[in-house]
Amino acid sequence: FYLYVVIILDWFFFFFQIQKLGGYMPITLTDDIYQTNLIVIAILIAVVLFTFRRAKHTDLFPVSVTQELKGLGILTVVFAHFAYMLVTNADFLFPLSIIAGVGVDLFLFMSGYGLTVGMLKKPLPALEFYKRRVIKIFIPFWVAIILIFAANAIFLDITYPMSYMIRSLLGWFPTAIGFDDVNSPFWYITWMMMFYALFPLVFSSKRPWLSAIILSVIATLIGVYNPLDMGDNWLHRLHTVAFSLGIVFAWLLFETKDKENKLVKTLKHFRNEAKVMPLVVIALMLVVVVYMSLHTTSSSWPTLTAILGQGFFVDQLTSLVIMFAFIVIFSLKKFDNKFFAIYGLYSFEVYLIHWPLIGRYDIFFDILPAWAAVVAWIISFILISWLLQKITTPLGALVDKLLAPKN
């Protein structure tokens, strides 16, 4: 543990020595972008293939699958931030960089799914829900943002107004300005907390589908009309339905020891007993992923755009289709993947720290070829996230103990 702390401190001091204090702007790469992309893709494919293991589970949507989907989700976000925020070369990491929206939808979907499963198993009143669920999110978030504020002040001489820091600690991030905000991807924190705040107030264990509709309507109205005057509301309006779809998915798949779920039984039989058809479905879903990933914007679907009336509805729909295809693929495959699982285990921590690190504390793109810099960061994110989790897990246990009801 202390060795990793020393390594990270050395990292910051090394960065401090080779970087100039002042403004931070995107990097213009001089590497051959096409060749760089091929190398990164080849390494990623090799890692994924060599970390497959035959699955031991026979369930349709176990924790191992949800972890892998989280890992996939955060990787799509990280690759996009490399390509569209860190560097000026728009083709960098193509096509790995083009479905970040799918990653965001996967996270919202998994949140809706997980919260619904928990509430169906053990309903919680709103206050107890906030104590058990919301605070657990804020603990790693608070640790990360305090460290970011402190590091920026100490190493970069970057400070923020007190009002900005207070509202940031409260989770209010109305803008997502890459090199100006303390951590521009934190716009998602604000959006996610809206769902967490509303969920226990509207959730019905008898009619989860109705809760899903209510939340999607509220989110869509906020996304379309922007009553809170959020500066980068265009991001929110692209992700108004995924959380609710997670609720519906959990409701459809929920089963108890006393009552068998016929839909789950049918799908599990298809996954575990059918020989050829699951492979056919996986192949078809892969085609859907590839085709839709190359046609994600409303400009590719003019008729659908005319029907729905707004381009961002089409953009959201294409993202949800890709998300659904990935869920089918990961649910039907009979192999677990260690790489995606590890990234899924640390997905929230990677989300919290990846952009400040590459945006303000990059050393790898200065001293390595671009492909090697990406690989170095992918490894570093896990190591630093492991360290962050080592800090936040005991804090979470302490908070649970303090908030536990007194006997």
Side-chain angles (χ1 to χ4, degrees), residues 1 4-5 8 382-392:
F1 174 83
Y4 279 106
V5 172
I8 298 225
I382 291 298
L383 296 177
I384 298 170
S385 295
W386 173 85
L387 178 60
L388 180 59
Q389 202 173 92
K390 285 291 184 181
I391 297 171
T392 58

Side-chain angles (χ1 to χ4, degrees), residues 129-146:
F129 175 88
Y130 296 141
K131 286 164 58 177
R132 292 196 180 190
R133 306 296 185 196
V134 177
I135 290 179
K136 282 190 175 181
I137 291 175
F138 267 101
I139 290 172
F141 163 69
W142 279 331
V143 171
I145 197 168
I146 290 171

